[in-house]
Amino acid sequence: MAILEATQIHKSYGNKFNKQEVLRGIDLRVEKGEFVSIMGASGSGKTTLLNVLSSIDKVSLGSIKIEGKDFTGMKEKELAEFRKQHLGFIFQDYNLLDTLTVKENVLLPLSIMKVSKKEADQKFQQIASELGIYEIASKYPNEISGGQKQRTSAARAFIHDPSIIFADEPTGALDSKSASDLLNKLSELNRKINATIIMVTHDPVAASYCSRVVFIKDGQIYTQLNKGEETRQHFFNDIIRTQGVLGGVQA
């Protein structure tokens, strides 16, 4: 079952005298439970694609459906409600509130959904245990490591059972061990709860954790790789080869 369907997505900036076309007719379908990575060189349009798929930015042309509902024409109030119900976000710079504890940061999406304290506590215990942050629940962001901050950000994204998790360079600010810890946790959640994750990354190691990699070049889909039954190492090698053909992916 397709959880996301993007059809003929175009995105331009500027005006008719000075127009920059960033996305040029992209079609993308993501099935429920997929872990998809979007890769491409700097300026290829990968971040713009993530932004329009996640409703952060508006398309110039085309339609995007999540759970069969096209959100591209929604007014801001309706769109805010749609995001609240269906979308989770993990950002490179964590986006945590320094004045809130780890637990309070994670529970933010539930607090605006009027979930009972008992249910919220149960959900927190479950997701925080999965992501290895339950023991630091009462600490503040400035008291924990970058890896713990990103796992807190991930817990906040998963806590309300969204239709899709969007991750923008989630390992970009992490050392290799913290990055690998996070990616292993995301892979586990992808398998255990059939979570759908769409991640932008420039890192072939991060992409090798995914089930499919979509390569963007000049605002269009250049090619795609499916992991299938391959080992992560073999898939990593395939990604590196494809990057070579593509001309290399820059940070």
Side-chain angles (χ1 to χ4, degrees), residues 234-246:
H234 277 115
F235 196 41
F236 169 79
N237 292 338
D238 289 345
I239 293 165
I240 291 288
R241 276 194 294 272
T242 305
Q243 283 186 327
V245 174
L246 193 58

Side-chain angles (χ1 to χ4, degrees), residues 149-232:
K149 286 178 187 175
Q150 196 56 297
R151 279 180 279 135
T152 299
S153 175
R156 181 184 58 196
F158 278 97
I159 192 80
H160 60 300
D161 303 316
S163 306
I164 304 182
I165 304 284
F166 290 100
D168 187 6
E169 299 279 9
T171 60
L174 304 179
D175 60 60
S176 56
K177 184 186 182 307
S178 297
S180 144
D181 285 347
L182 176 72
L183 290 161
N184 277 316
K185 296 293 186 188
L186 292 180
S187 297
E188 281 173 27
L189 286 166
N190 170 244
R191 286 193 303 271
K192 280 185 182 176
I193 62 174
N194 207 28
T196 308
I197 306 169
I198 300 177
M199 173 175 76
V200 159
T201 184
H202 67 274
D203 180 5
V205 174
S208 70
Y209 283 81
C210 299
S211 52
R212 175 162 58 119
V213 181
V214 177
F215 291 89
I216 305 292
K217 183 178 183 180
D218 299 330
Q220 295 178 307
I221 291 179
Y222 173 77
T223 190
Q224 303 185 46
L225 292 177
N226 286 288
K227 187 176 187 179
E229 299 302 311
E230 280 191 300
T231 64
R232 195 165 66 76

Side-chain angles (χ1 to χ4, degrees), residues 11 13 20 24 37 59 73 103 108 112 143 167-168 203 205 226 230 235:
K11 178 63 183 177
Y13 295 100
Q20 182 191 7
R24 309 176 185 203
S37 176
V59 296
K103 183 175 182 179
L108 272 175
I112 58 176
E143 299 174 317
D168 187 6
D203 180 5
V205 174
N226 286 288
E230 280 191 300
F235 196 41

